[in-house]
Amino acid sequence: MTLFDKEFPDSLVERCKRITHEKTATKAVKEALELLFRNNETLTGMRQKLAAAEEANRRLIAAIEAQKSAEKQIAEALKFAKDPAKFSLEPEYRPLKRF
């Protein structure tokens, strides 16, 4: 008696046979497990790449927002600098306070 004869569910053996196209239960389960582990390793690698890409996207979005903010500040500074009233040569009249 083997593990497949005693405790391994027939439905899982049949699924393994369908996936691997093997006729014997032992080979089908072995190949299905190998396929499962390969796919799991691939998925883990893809998740790590996805996390790295998401972090890069977050940094890029933050940089774009910082650039837009800087451009807005530059535009406001240029607008201020072009206003002749801000740089008049005549001082504002302020009466002197007496002590």
Side-chain angles (χ1 to χ4, degrees), residues 8-26:
F8 208 79
D10 289 335
S11 61
L12 288 178
V13 172
E14 292 305 315
R15 288 175 71 185
C16 291
K17 285 181 180 180
R18 276 196 312 267
I19 290 171
T20 62
H21 305 289
E22 286 291 333
K23 302 296 180 198
T24 60
T26 305

Side-chain angles (χ1 to χ4, degrees), residues 17-97:
K17 285 181 180 180
R18 276 196 312 267
I19 290 171
T20 62
H21 305 289
E22 286 291 333
K23 302 296 180 198
T24 60
T26 305
K27 284 184 178 181
V29 170
K30 180 184 172 201
E31 286 188 24
L33 285 172
E34 288 174 354
L35 179 63
L36 172 70
F37 292 133
R38 268 196 316 270
N39 288 344
N40 187 44
E41 289 171 358
T42 301
L43 179 62
T44 300
M46 292 171 77
R47 283 181 179 155
Q48 291 171 347
K49 289 179 182 178
L50 177 62
E54 287 175 341
E55 179 60 30
N57 282 343
R58 278 192 287 275
R59 287 193 307 266
L60 179 61
I61 289 169
I64 289 170
E65 288 174 356
Q67 180 184 6
K68 286 180 181 179
S69 175
E71 288 172 352
K72 183 179 176 183
Q73 289 176 350
I74 289 171
E76 289 173 359
L78 287 174
K79 182 180 175 184
F80 178 81
K82 290 180 181 179
D83 187 1
K86 303 289 183 187
F87 298 100
S88 65
L89 297 176
E90 297 179 14
E92 293 180 18
Y93 174 73
R94 292 186 195 147
L96 295 175
K97 292 184 181 178

